[in-house]
Amino acid sequence: MRSVPNPVSAVRAALLEWYDRHGRALAWRAPPGAPPPDPYRVWLSEVMLQQTTTPHATPYFETFTARWPTVSDLAAADDSDVMAAWAGLGYYARARNLLACARAVARDHGGVFPDTEAGLLALPGVGAYTAAAVAAIAFGRPANVVDGNVERVMARLFAVEAPLPGAKPELRQLAGSLVADDRPGDWPQALMDLGATVCRPGKPQCEACPLTEWCAAHASGHPERWPLKTKKADRPHRTGIAWVLRDGRGRVALERRPDKGLLGGMTGLPTSEWRVGTAEASPPVAADWREAGAIEHVFTHFSLTLTVRVAEGQGDFVWTDPDEALASLPTVFRKALERGLG
């Protein structure tokens, strides 16, 4: 970065010129240089993109914005409808926070998002990253927007030797050193696009990068070495039982999970607790239960094996057509139901 006069302005000019030619066309994004997009669409996309890839999030975004085109429409939606529409995106606390935030904007701000980072941070479920992204992209505020893609670009640009996650404060500070008043909405999107399409994990495509002139990792000859990472601890493994109960009409028994905890507030199959070690528990109703195999699922903090048991019977459940259940259940329950139906 010290190899040329005024490197910040040179780096910004090079990256923004690249973004004008190579920026991704995304459903929630305005083209480079265009007026800012609707804050609702920016906020919704940022919430969906947390821990989710762009290709996976896009159809969900399109479904949500067609069904609930404004934040006030979303605020007025039934919790169960939103949670069902969210199924498959994972991290279901995000869906609960989504509703809480939409209702706060509708109730306390007349359906209009605050236009500053501080105002956005005061909304329920909005953290520092989302507040900065909405402030910059939707309201043209110069904000320091740092996601995993930006961290990777900074780690390589400056050859940061501290490993992640401990390096996060340093990487954030370095990214902040490049923020300026010029094109504040395009700048973070340009950085994110560079990380997503060129400065990728594994082997970066340095031949297509507009920043190689200033990149310390590229100058080393081994840019893939960065970012350094601390070795992750092994993911613990848990086991449990999922019960697939059908009535005489072929419907499937579902139940609403407690509001707090993993998959809180979601509709799912009756299950035992998910514990380390051998799973055994009493079934939800007395019936002629038989095993139908097992399914595997991986969450962020643990992996899970669910033994699937099936039977016919009655009980106080939400009885649902199997096809409807398969379309709305979270992935782990959909896997278990498919095994039970098969």
Side-chain angles (χ1 to χ4, degrees):
M1 294 292 293
R2 299 186 181 89
S3 60
V4 296
N6 199 7
V8 169
S9 117
V11 166
R12 286 181 57 88
L15 183 57
L16 287 169
E17 181 183 356
W18 173 88
Y19 178 65
D20 289 341
R21 290 182 284 116
H22 300 290
R24 293 175 294 176
L26 303 175
W28 46 82
R29 179 181 284 181
D38 180 357
Y40 168 61
R41 295 172 68 87
V42 177
W43 163 75
L44 180 61
S45 70
E46 292 298 342
V47 175
M48 287 185 168
L49 288 167
Q50 294 167 16
Q51 307 292 337
T52 306
T53 65
T54 296
H56 187 60
T58 298
Y60 286 89
F61 176 85
E62 291 171 339
T63 296
F64 265 70
T65 51
R67 189 170 181 182
W68 302 294
T70 70
V71 68
S72 296
D73 293 326
L74 182 60
D78 289 339
D79 289 41
S80 59
D81 290 341
V82 173
M83 298 301 276
W86 190 271
L89 272 175
Y91 299 87
Y92 291 93
R94 290 183 295 158
R96 296 193 293 275
N97 289 336
L98 191 82
L99 273 172
C101 182
R103 288 166 180 166
V105 172
R107 180 186 64 244
D108 302 332
H109 300 275
V112 178
F113 278 87
D115 63 357
T116 65
E117 280 189 80
L120 291 160
L121 270 172
L123 296 172
V126 174
Y129 167 77
T130 301
V134 176
I137 298 169
F139 294 111
R141 305 283 189 182
N144 191 21
V145 185
V146 183
D147 69 353
N149 285 314
V150 176
E151 287 179 343
R152 186 166 56 257
V153 171
M154 294 301 115
R156 288 173 174 161
L157 192 61
F158 294 95
V160 174
E161 288 297 323
L164 286 167
K168 283 179 178 288
E170 181 180 359
L171 296 174
R172 180 175 179 79
Q173 182 180 17
L174 291 169
S177 71
L178 300 177
V179 173
D181 293 338
D182 177 44
R183 297 179 64 179
D186 287 340
W187 174 251
Q189 295 180 110
L191 272 177
M192 288 186 277
D193 278 14
L194 186 72
T197 64
V198 174
C199 195
R200 301 184 300 189
K203 186 174 182 179
Q205 296 183 325
C206 295
E207 67 280 1
C209 181
L211 303 185
T212 52
E213 180 179 348
W214 305 281
C215 181
H218 175 71
S220 78
H222 299 283
E224 69 282 355
R225 177 174 177 268
W226 287 271
L228 282 66
K229 294 183 180 180
T230 303
K231 186 179 184 301
K232 290 184 179 180
D234 292 338
R235 181 185 282 115
H237 183 72
R238 300 181 188 178
T239 63
I241 303 168
W243 288 287
V244 176
L245 182 68
R246 303 184 73 179
D247 66 5
R249 297 164 56 184
R251 297 179 302 176
V252 177
L254 303 178
E255 60 183 16
R256 188 175 184 272
R257 296 176 64 82
D259 287 335
K260 293 186 177 180
L262 188 63
L263 304 177
M266 298 296 297
T267 299
L269 295 171
T271 73
S272 68
E273 292 186 22
W274 301 344
R275 297 176 174 174
V276 175
T278 303
E280 195 52 66
S282 299
V285 295
D288 183 18
W289 293 98
R290 63 189 186 279
E291 289 202 9
I295 62 101
E296 306 289 335
H297 191 75
V298 178
F299 293 98
T300 305
H301 301 299
F302 67 93
S303 59
L304 174 69
T305 299
L306 278 182
T307 299
V308 180
R309 295 179 181 170
V310 300
E312 290 190 3
Q314 298 293 328
D316 185 17
F317 298 101
V318 177
W319 292 96
T320 307
D321 177 82
D323 288 339
E324 182 179 334
L326 288 169
S328 62
L329 286 174
T331 303
V332 62
F333 294 125
R334 187 168 65 248
K335 290 179 180 178
L337 179 55
E338 287 173 343
R339 179 58 55 88
L341 295 174

